[in-house]
Amino acid sequence: MKTQTETEMKIEEQKQKLRTGADLFIESLVEQNVDTVFGYPGGAVLPIYDALHRAQAPFQHIMCRHEQGLIHAAEGYARVTGKPGVVIATSGPGATNLVTGITDAMMDSLPVVVFTGQVSTAVIGSDAFQEADVIGITTPITKHNYQVTDLKELPRIINEAFHIASTGRPGPVVVDIPKNIAQEISDESFEKDFHLPGYQPTIKPNPLQIRRLAEALATAKRPVLLAGAGIHFADANKELLEFAEKYSLPVTTTLLGLGSFPGQHEQALGMAGMHGSFAANMAIYEADLLINIGARFDDRLTGALQHFAPNAKVAHVDIDPAEIGKNVETKIPVVGDAKEALKGLLEIDIEKEDCTAWYESVMDNKKSSPFWFKRSDDLISPQWLIEELHRESDGQAIVTTDVGQHQMWAAQFYQFNEPHKWVTSGGLGTMGFGLPAAIGAQLGRPEETVVSIVGDGGFQMTMQELAVIKQHQLPIKVIIVNNEALGMVRQWQEDFYEERYSSSLLTENPDFVKLAEGFGIKGIRVANEADVPAVMKEVFSYDGPVLVDARVQKLDKVFPMVAPGKGNHEMLGVRKCEE
């Protein structure tokens, strides 16, 4: 009897040593201090979901209602926390439904680690049920990707994936895990450490280049500072503010750089680019030195390249050397982390030229030609609605958006004074982004107020994620800027296509209030400006999720605007205060 008991104990001890690939997967996530996973089960990832159930893992699993919701939620989480967003999806359609979000994360430099299930290795390439070539599909849209072909490589690959996603210029990494790898059993301990000799991002900038930039600043008569999202990723907001104040520099930002410099600061000119401020665009156009820190000079920022900062010596600080000189000729390239570059600049004391006259002329533009709008006697002015949101939330909310007119109005009229409060799709311009991104943002920063400003078009692309908001009682405030149209499409059709409104008018929208109520969420409709203040008070005092269907003026346009092919100094819709 004693011998039998000892044998049973040995068997039990051996069983405890045996682990599946799925068990190793869970262990690896725990070791990476993952606290939230966005996932959707399916055949190829059932071993992983079984391991999740058995392990009672110490992280929360959020099942969105569509894989597009998963990836955008992970992006929202990554944007506000700085930590990698983690996604699990099954093979085939589960993986391909992530493609838009992976591309979005790639263009906006967001750290996301995506785990896709795959058919077993024995049938890869045979067009098996729910098979898709995930590696082939995602190679152009990821920072890196892997397909695990040997169980012993799994822990190391996962560690590498998190490292690559979150270091250097952040970006998405995909790990494709065949089902048999997740099911395979082993009692071995596998190597987790890694060395990537071909991947060594430059963090510390070259001190000679920092000195060159400082010397250029010393002699500049019309210097301008341009701040991009790289300031957020480097956590360099404090250094940026100190540097700008030290030398009294006018500061512009990109769309994704909003909040990197306080929007209500006296030196802030606001966003530059297609729908940027007149003051910001003219400052760049007239500058003799443009210092770009952490922005990639995309076309929506630059307009026609031949007219972008035509008289300026351009200094570009970026952790990704591929971005420097890619679009705009750069005289002073500085490869490195934005925080380290700013620290280096702050350590150098220079005697700067007197730029008082230039500074005053830039600020005169800011005062004389601000963002403007007309109040409505009928429906709600959308710009005024954003201002009311800002006032009622004390400018402290995390704001997510979809893409279109409401996005630009939010960028113009919700002034961001703090970093990591602005969550939007920049480079890819993804409709359907705003609602699931708000879920990720709320889960990432549960103590914060999260407002999702969406259009009636984009909202309908991912509105099923209201179920997740209700299930987890996330107190997200959803504001639908409802103009019964794909607003930006309609604006372009009116201005550039002789008012041929081809498939841009949404005259058969659902009843959004009833829709919210169908999900168990409080719904409110507001259609005139007199009622907006009371509605906003109700929304922000309500301890739970709320959806507001705000009926705004249908034909309002986003101004100012740089027409396609024009320079940023040729803005349409600029008005002086007296007008």
Side-chain angles (χ1 to χ4, degrees), residues 72 75-76 79 100-110 169 229 233 254-258 271-272 274-275 296-301 399-404 406-408 411 422-434 437 488:
H72 292 329
E75 288 184 274
R79 175 74 74 186
T100 297
I102 294 171
T103 311
D104 192 274
M106 184 67 176
M107 293 193 73
D108 287 353
S109 306
L110 291 173
R169 178 180 178 177
F233 299 136
T254 64
L255 173 67
L256 294 180
L258 289 170
M271 177 178 71
M274 177 175 279
H275 294 293
R296 60 184 180 84
F297 284 136
D298 75 290
D299 60 304
R300 286 296 173 98
L301 169 69
V399 176
T400 77
T401 76
D402 263 9
V403 170
H406 70 276
Q407 177 193 33
M408 293 298 105
W422 173 238
V423 183
T424 197
S425 172
L428 195 62
T430 305
M431 290 178 68
F433 175 89
M488 193 62 83

Side-chain angles (χ1 to χ4, degrees), residues 31-62:
E31 289 173 2
Q32 289 293 334
N33 297 313
V34 170
D35 57 37
T36 304
V37 171
F38 302 93
Y40 202 105
V45 289
L46 281 179
I48 288 174
Y49 274 83
D50 188 56
L52 276 171
H53 183 77
R54 287 186 282 103
Q56 297 181 348
F59 48 77
Q60 61 181 336
H61 177 275
I62 306 298

Side-chain angles (χ1 to χ4, degrees), residues 113-126:
V113 181
V114 177
F115 297 99
T116 56
Q118 184 55 274
V119 299
S120 293
T121 53
V123 293
I124 288 178
S126 70

Side-chain angles (χ1 to χ4, degrees), residues 210-263:
I210 293 293
R211 170 62 66 178
R212 282 186 64 200
L213 201 164
E215 290 171 352
L217 179 59
T219 59
K221 293 180 172 59
R222 300 184 304 279
V224 175
L225 190 56
L226 171 66
I231 297 292
H232 294 306
F233 299 136
D235 193 25
N237 311 84
K238 176 178 173 291
E239 289 78 9
L240 177 70
L241 178 62
E242 186 178 348
F243 179 63
E245 289 182 337
K246 181 176 181 178
Y247 296 111
S248 298
L249 297 173
V251 182
T252 72
T253 74
T254 64
L255 173 67
L256 294 180
L258 289 170
S260 61
F261 189 80

